Amino acid sequence: MDDELEQLIAEAVLLEKNVARLYSLFKEAFPEDADFWDRLADEEKNHAALIRTVKDFFLTIGLVPSGLFTAPREELKRSNAKIGALIERYRSTPPSRREAFLAAVDIEETAGEIHYQKYMSGESIARIDDIFKELNEADKDHAARIRSYMAEHRLGS
């Protein structure tokens, strides 16, 4: 496998895992929203597992979902660093409830997450794209779901 693609995939998996870790912190900090954060954290873990499946299975047979890995690795690295810093900060000083939601919206609009969302909602080029999207059908558009939850619970936007 191409070394650059392998590093890109590793960075994408790390991004999904980091987002899941952050949402798990929010789950612990805000019991009133625990189910919401838990569901999102699980979905982020699922995204990481799906991306690993691309590496472990699809790439070994020469199939790559078209457009899945379009975010430059440096952008993913910056996003991972940003999320890592938030995790460290929020471990010692939890955010306000509103700040947690705003941070989540911001994260869902970072390079890797926005590229992932564009791929999941874009047109399929090959059958492999359809298969990958079907596996992830229920786990998409987190930013819109977070905003909707914020509005429903009057947390501002």
Side-chain angles (χ1 to χ4, degrees):
M1 175 184 347
D2 175 87
D3 189 49
E4 179 63 27
L5 182 57
E6 191 168 334
Q7 290 176 10
L8 184 63
I9 291 170
E11 206 65 46
V13 168
L14 181 60
L15 178 68
E16 301 298 339
K17 287 178 161 183
N18 280 338
V19 174
R21 287 176 47 215
L22 183 64
Y23 292 170
S24 293
L25 278 177
F26 293 164
K27 172 189 167 190
E28 297 302 318
F30 306 104
E32 65 270 40
D33 305 312
D35 289 341
F36 179 78
W37 291 121
D38 191 44
R39 189 168 38 258
L40 288 180
D42 284 347
E43 290 175 8
E44 296 294 345
K45 290 174 192 171
N46 184 42
H47 296 170
L50 285 171
I51 294 168
R52 273 194 311 274
T53 299
V54 168
K55 177 182 178 251
D56 297 340
F57 177 71
F58 292 113
L59 290 178
T60 61
I61 60 173
L63 295 173
V64 180
S66 62
L68 179 58
F69 301 110
T70 58
R73 189 164 52 100
E74 288 307 313
E75 284 186 44
L76 294 176
K77 285 177 127 181
R78 282 191 295 275
S79 294
N80 274 317
K82 177 181 176 179
I83 296 165
L86 286 175
I87 290 168
E88 291 306 311
R89 185 169 88 199
Y90 293 156
R91 272 193 183 137
S92 60
T93 307
S96 70
R97 188 174 176 215
R98 183 172 188 277
E99 182 183 354
F101 279 92
L102 292 175
V105 168
D106 184 52
I107 285 165
E108 292 296 338
E109 294 174 345
T110 62
E113 291 293 313
I114 203 76
H115 284 281
Y116 187 85
Q117 179 59 37
K118 283 181 182 177
Y119 168 77
M120 294 308 293
S121 60
E123 185 178 333
S124 295
I125 305 293
R127 178 68 182 132
I128 187 67
D129 295 324
D130 292 330
I131 292 168
F132 194 79
K133 289 175 184 181
E134 286 170 21
L135 289 171
N136 195 52
E137 183 58 35
D139 299 347
K140 55 186 195 179
D141 210 359
H142 287 178
R145 288 171 44 204
I146 294 166
R147 284 189 180 99
S148 176
Y149 189 94
M150 288 177 73
E152 182 181 325
H153 292 86
R154 294 184 172 92
L155 294 168
S157 54

